Amino acid sequence: MSKTQSLQFARHLHPTPLPADQRAALLKNPGFGRVFTDHMVSVRYHESKGWHDAKIEPRAPIPMDPAAAVLHYAQEIFEGLKAYRTADGGATLFRPEENARRFQQSAERLAMPVLPESVFLEACDLLVKTDRAWIPDGDGSLYLRPFMFANEVFLGVKPSSDYLFLVIASSVGAYFKTDAPAVSVWVSTEYTRAAPGGTGAAKCGGNYAASLLAQAEATRHGCDQVVFLDAVEQRWVEELGGMNVFFVFDDGSLSTPPLGGTILPGITRSSLITLAKDKGIKVREERYSIDQWRADAGTGRLREAFACGTAAVVTPIGTVRGKDGEFRIGNGGAGLRTEELKAALVGIQRGRAADPHGWIHKVF
Ligand code: PLP
Ligand code: COI
């Protein structure tokens, strides 16, 4: 399949989109992932036909056969990216080509067909253009959720012959509900997220299903997120349930766990590495153990830690808790380095700063 295949999207626009006053009420305080726009985009795939039946239509429940493969064997992948409102009344996406490529890599790992990058981008653009009124002002954004699932009606265990790719959009504010200046994390020693050779580097629903019990344990211990350690030695910090992690040291340098197949190659992570290097900040992609984290927080060698991802943006980590007790990082709130990197990233994402790496994709 060519990388630049183009499909004609049929347009069935909503006859009765939500009235502006009701939409405005929803956009006042949307939270994360509960407010959805009027439309959705979809493309079908069948092994005999390839990609076909591309369309935009009113967002609605999708009819599914109870024997659809995804409901049994979880052959499903997804992406997450944000559209921002610009000062000139337009809209932009941040590095959507990277999401398209990661979607292709996730598809390969899950034995699914590879969606051409151009179709992924066209689908996202079309939804943002159509539902532009749903992009919140201020600090909010329109979170796009492209996803694809196995739709063959068959209970045999094999890659499906039939798939549905969809993009939905949700008007969002901050991911974390807390008003605290930093989040708290729970170190899971009971559960792991991904083993070597597994699906840790793919963005597939199954990874998140497997993380829920650990996340529930984190919540029970009063923490906002779970931190996973490596599955082999139960020693090396990997990532959070839905974010990558960075550490900031007393010499101003940064470190983040290396990509080795068991963590998600975050686009925010890679952008922050580039921005830090632009500023002359040293960044190491190296393993960091939970024991070293605790020891360095105690001596003050570790000054800050933060989580990063599309949903979380850059969020300081203030407290680390686990079965051996808890420790605080720095003053337990936001640190200067974290704030500096966040400002650099958000400045580019929101069009307030120059875009030297060409990361901004103008939708209209
Ligand atoms: N790690 C996990 C498990 C995630 O779910 C996410 C969110 O997408 C990330 C890391 C960060 O990835 P990105 O920065 O591409 O959003
Ligand atoms: C994202 O940041 O896009 C994610 O998928 C993470 C999830 C916790 C919402």
Side-chain angles (χ1 to χ4, degrees), residues 102 193 203 208 239 241-244 264 266-268 308-310:
R102 188 170 63 189
R193 177 181 176 277
K203 206 159 165 65
Y208 296 79
E239 63 177 322
M243 288 137 227
N244 293 118
L264 194 79
I267 295 158
T268 318
C308 69
T310 299

Side-chain angles (χ1 to χ4, degrees), residues 32 78-82 99 102 143-145 175 203 208 225 241-243 264 268 308-313:
F32 184 89
F78 68 96
E79 269 304 324
L81 67 165
K82 283 176 171 172
N99 295 91
R102 188 170 63 189
Y143 181 80
L144 303 186
R145 172 51 62 88
Y175 183 74
K203 206 159 165 65
Y208 296 79
Q225 269 279 304
M243 288 137 227
L264 194 79
T268 318
C308 69
T310 299
V313 195

Side-chain angles (χ1 to χ4, degrees), residues 268-287:
T268 318
R269 173 188 180 280
S270 108
S271 307
L272 289 169
I273 290 174
T274 302
L275 291 177
K277 289 183 177 166
D278 286 352
K279 287 172 176 290
I281 299 170
K282 282 214 173 66
V283 188
R284 296 177 301 279
E285 293 181 67
E286 71 181 15
R287 300 205 295 183

Side-chain angles (χ1 to χ4, degrees), residues 120-346:
F120 182 99
L121 296 177
E122 220 175 315
C124 291
D125 279 2
L126 180 57
L127 189 57
V128 173
K129 273 183 212 153
T130 308
D131 283 337
R132 62 180 72 187
W134 288 88
I135 308 174
D137 288 323
D139 289 341
S141 55
L142 187 65
Y143 181 80
L144 303 186
R145 172 51 62 88
F147 63 107
M148 173 164 62
F149 63 85
N151 208 20
E152 184 177 353
V153 179
F154 181 50
L155 294 183
V157 181
K158 67 154 187 84
S160 172
S161 58
D162 208 345
Y163 296 87
L164 187 54
F165 166 72
L166 290 129
V167 190
I168 55 173
S170 173
S171 310
V172 301
Y175 183 74
F176 290 108
K177 287 192 206 86
T178 173
D179 286 330
V183 295
S184 52
V185 295
W186 169 257
V187 182
S188 179
T189 38
E190 186 94 358
Y191 308 104
T192 56
R193 177 181 176 277
T199 57
K203 206 159 165 65
C204 60
N207 286 345
Y208 296 79
S211 78
L212 295 178
L213 193 54
Q215 178 60 41
E217 193 180 64
T219 307
R220 217 170 41 247
H221 286 94
C223 292
D224 299 295
Q225 269 279 304
V226 59
V227 181
F228 287 108
L229 303 179
D230 77 289
V232 177
E233 296 182 64
Q234 278 279 286
R235 180 175 170 210
W236 307 105
V237 177
E238 297 240 297
E239 63 177 322
L240 311 193
M243 288 137 227
N244 293 118
V245 61
F246 277 81
F247 308 99
V248 182
F249 296 90
D250 55 358
D251 62 357
S253 67
L254 300 180
S255 91
T256 190
L259 302 177
T262 56
I263 71 174
L264 194 79
I267 295 158
T268 318
R269 173 188 180 280
S270 108
S271 307
L272 289 169
I273 290 174
T274 302
L275 291 177
K277 289 183 177 166
D278 286 352
K279 287 172 176 290
I281 299 170
K282 282 214 173 66
V283 188
R284 296 177 301 279
E285 293 181 67
E286 71 181 15
R287 300 205 295 183
Y288 192 57
S289 72
I290 180 64
D291 290 340
Q292 197 65 49
W293 192 3
R294 185 185 301 104
D296 288 346
T299 61
R301 178 175 172 254
L302 180 90
R303 289 285 164 84
E304 306 168 31
F306 60 84
C308 69
T310 299
V313 195
V314 172
T315 303
I317 298 172
T319 307
V320 183
R321 200 167 289 153
K323 69 173 179 9
D324 299 329
E326 75 172 45
F327 57 93
R328 225 164 70 129
I329 298 166
N331 62 7
L336 286 178
R337 196 55 118 191
T338 304
E339 290 299 307
E340 177 191 2
L341 289 165
K342 178 178 178 179
L345 177 73
V346 172

